[in-house]
């Protein structure tokens, strides 16, 4: 720490000590030779009283500088003595605790009032020394106070900026944490809800045909076990991403379609053009198809065809998942539409749009995704 910095810190931490010193110096500076030698007259006693009042008024120089200035100027005018030290302290306080403009106005008014009093008491001969003394009592404190005030404003602005940056950093951290929680919730929904939906449907089907078609029942149960293992693998992958930020690889679209077929959903897959090279875009396509087929499996009433149409050739890329079921309106008990919201957020990350709703027959999900720029990925 630099020496001047240590001095400033000391005085900042001991404001009452500074006040005691200022009052004591003002009391001593206001005494003339007769007062110091003890040769006191009635006029001398009056000057002591005025000097004491002015000096004690300096206690409030920080909070009430205008009032202290008024007391100082009034005391000088009534006593006829010159309280230069107290006047200089008030000028300094006006600059530091108010403004340079306030100090200028205070100096002009004070010098004008005291100049008139001096002219009445001493004539023209007294104006020269008066202007010289009070000029110094104004210029030096204003220069010093202006420097201190400028530095304080600079330090205050740095502190405000640091506090603002700290708040912004904290807010960014909270937003990042919120985004991460939403992402985890979406991934958990994709892994758990979708797999559980298919597993329940397969288990119900296996139970229904256990007596009439044991082989088909056995295959369904095997598929349930396979889906459970896949869900566990996906969970481990998700936890691995949280631990070490490892990449999230795209899912197997063909295997996903086959799983829904085994669950009893008549899915038809059509592709146009080469698959996107972006792994991030492939993940989005996989999740959109997964969510759409899961909703069809849950809500479509006896669909005869569920079309998954992937058109990679045009820009934007178009994904259409349409079923011809009759009862495709989501049940009131589901309600949250978390999967559809997650789909919209995933697609929005790539600048795409999602349209989902009832058609004349069935339900259709339509997603448009612009091709990413060359070399770009999310």
């Amino acid at each position: 720490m630099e020496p001047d910095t240590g001095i400033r810190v000391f005085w900042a931490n001991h404001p009452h000590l500074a006040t005691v010193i200022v009052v004591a110096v003002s009391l001593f500076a206001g005494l003339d030779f007769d007062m110091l030698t003890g040769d006191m007259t009635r006029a001398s006693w009056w000057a002591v009283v005025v000097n004491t009042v002015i000096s004690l008024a300096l206690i409030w120089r920080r909070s009430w500088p205008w009032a202290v200035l008024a007391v100082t100027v009034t005391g000088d005018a009534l006593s006829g003595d010159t309280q230069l030290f107290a006047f200089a302290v008030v000028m300094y306080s006006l600059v530091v605790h108010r403004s340079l403009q306030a100090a200028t106005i205070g100096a002009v008014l004070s010098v004008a009032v005291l100049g008139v009093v001096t002219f009445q008491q001493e004539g023209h001969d007294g104006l020269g020394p008066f202007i010289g003394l009070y000029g110094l009592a104004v210029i030096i404190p204003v220069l010093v106070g202006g420097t201190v005030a400028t530095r304080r404003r600079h330090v205050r602005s740095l502190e405000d900026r640091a506090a603002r940056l700290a708040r912004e950093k904290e807010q960014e951290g909270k937003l990042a944490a919120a985004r991460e929680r939403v992402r985890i919730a979406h991934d958990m929904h994709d892994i758990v809800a979708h797999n559980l939906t298919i597993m329940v449907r397969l288990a119900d089907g296996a139970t229904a045909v256990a007596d009439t078609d044991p082989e088909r029942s056995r295959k369904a149960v095997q598929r349930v076990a396979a889906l459970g293992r896949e869900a566990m693998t996906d969970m481990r992958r998700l936890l691995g991403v949280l631990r070490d930020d490892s990449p999230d690889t795209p899912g197997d679209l063909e295997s996903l379609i086959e799983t829904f077929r085994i669950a009893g959903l008549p899915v038809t897959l059509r592709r146009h053009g080469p698959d996107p090279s972006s792994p991030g875009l492939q993940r989005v396509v996989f999740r959109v198809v997964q969510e759409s087929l899961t909703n069809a499996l849950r809500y479509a009433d006896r669909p005869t065809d569920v079309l998954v149409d992937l058109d990679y050739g045009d820009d934007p890329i178009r994904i259409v998942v349409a079923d011809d079921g009759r009862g495709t309106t989501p049940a009131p008990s589901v309600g949250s539409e978390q999967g559809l919201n997650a789909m919209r957020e995933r697609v929005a990350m790539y600048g795409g749009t999602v349209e989902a709703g009832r058609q004349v027959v069935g339900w259709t999900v339509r997603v448009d995704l612009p091709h990413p720029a060359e070399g770009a990925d999310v």
Side-chain angles (χ1 to χ4, degrees):
M1 181 183 294
E2 297 180 359
D4 59 336
T5 303
I7 294 174
R8 285 194 295 267
V9 172
F10 175 81
W11 289 117
N13 293 332
H14 300 84
H16 298 301
L17 177 61
T19 298
V20 170
I21 294 176
V22 167
V23 171
V25 172
S26 178
L27 285 171
F28 182 79
L31 299 177
D32 58 20
F33 180 77
D34 292 336
M35 299 177 189
L36 293 176
T37 58
D39 186 10
M40 302 289 290
T41 62
R42 178 175 296 181
S44 298
W45 280 110
W46 171 244
V48 169
V49 172
V50 172
N51 179 48
T52 302
V53 171
I54 293 175
S55 299
L56 292 178
L58 294 178
I59 296 175
W60 295 278
R61 68 192 185 280
R62 297 187 181 97
S63 54
W64 303 94
W66 281 110
V68 176
L69 177 63
V71 171
T72 303
V73 173
T74 302
D76 281 357
L78 293 177
S79 65
D81 290 335
T82 302
Q83 303 284 347
L84 281 179
F85 178 79
F87 183 77
V89 170
V90 179
M91 287 293 102
Y92 173 88
S93 299
L94 276 173
V95 175
V96 173
H97 301 291
R98 291 299 181 266
S99 65
L100 178 60
Q101 182 181 7
T104 302
I105 295 174
V108 171
L109 295 176
S110 302
V111 171
V113 171
L114 294 178
V116 171
V117 173
T118 301
F119 178 78
Q120 291 177 347
Q121 293 177 349
E122 303 179 17
H124 291 89
D125 296 337
L127 288 179
F130 167 80
I131 293 175
L133 290 176
Y134 274 87
L136 292 176
V138 170
I139 294 174
I140 295 177
V142 167
L143 291 177
V144 176
T147 302
V148 173
T150 300
R151 182 185 178 279
R152 287 185 179 181
R153 285 192 295 268
H154 178 65
V155 171
R156 193 178 299 113
S157 66
L158 292 178
E159 292 174 348
D160 293 341
R161 181 182 178 186
R164 185 173 63 255
L165 291 176
R167 289 193 300 270
E168 291 176 355
K169 184 176 180 180
E170 182 181 0
Q171 292 174 353
E172 289 176 359
K174 291 181 179 179
L175 290 176
R179 288 192 296 267
E180 186 66 11
R181 285 194 296 268
V182 171
R183 188 186 71 83
I184 294 172
H186 292 166
D187 287 342
M188 290 292 291
H189 175 270
D190 292 337
I191 294 170
V192 177
H194 297 297
N195 285 286
L196 284 179
T197 298
I198 301 173
M199 290 169 68
V200 169
R201 182 63 64 90
L202 287 172
D204 290 341
T207 302
V209 300
D211 296 331
T212 59
D213 193 348
E215 180 63 20
R216 185 179 175 185
S217 176
R218 183 179 63 82
K219 289 182 179 179
V221 172
Q222 289 176 347
R223 189 56 185 168
V224 170
L227 281 174
R229 286 190 291 270
E230 290 177 8
M232 292 177 63
T233 301
D234 288 340
M235 288 293 295
R236 284 194 293 268
R237 176 186 53 78
L238 175 60
L239 295 176
V241 170
L242 296 179
R243 285 194 298 267
D244 56 17
D245 199 24
S246 59
D248 184 10
T249 56
D252 186 353
L253 193 59
E254 297 288 350
S255 177
L256 176 69
I257 297 295
E258 183 61 27
T259 298
F260 279 98
R261 287 171 180 162
I262 295 174
L265 200 64
V267 184
T268 301
L269 175 63
R270 290 202 310 227
R271 290 183 175 179
H272 309 277
D275 291 351
S277 59
S278 164
L281 198 56
Q282 293 177 26
R283 287 194 298 271
V284 174
V285 173
F286 180 86
R287 295 303 187 191
V288 167
V289 174
Q290 184 183 50
E291 175 65 28
S292 301
L293 291 180
T294 300
N295 288 337
L297 184 63
R298 284 177 174 175
Y299 309 122
D301 184 11
R302 295 185 296 277
T304 60
D305 183 41
V306 180
L307 175 63
V308 177
D309 191 357
L310 307 177
D311 189 355
Y312 299 132
D314 294 333
D315 192 3
I317 295 171
R318 173 156 294 181
I319 307 169
V320 176
V321 181
D323 66 72
D324 59 358
R326 293 190 297 273
T328 53
T329 301
S333 61
V334 177
S336 66
E337 296 187 354
Q338 181 178 354
L340 187 58
N341 292 333
M343 183 194 304
R344 288 195 175 99
E345 291 184 13
R346 290 180 187 277
V347 171
M349 289 177 59
Y350 285 81
T353 58
V354 176
E355 295 180 5
R358 183 196 298 273
Q359 305 300 314
V360 176
V361 177
W363 186 274
T364 299
V365 176
R366 182 177 290 105
V367 175
D368 290 335
L369 284 167
H371 279 282
E374 184 177 353
D377 192 20
V378 177

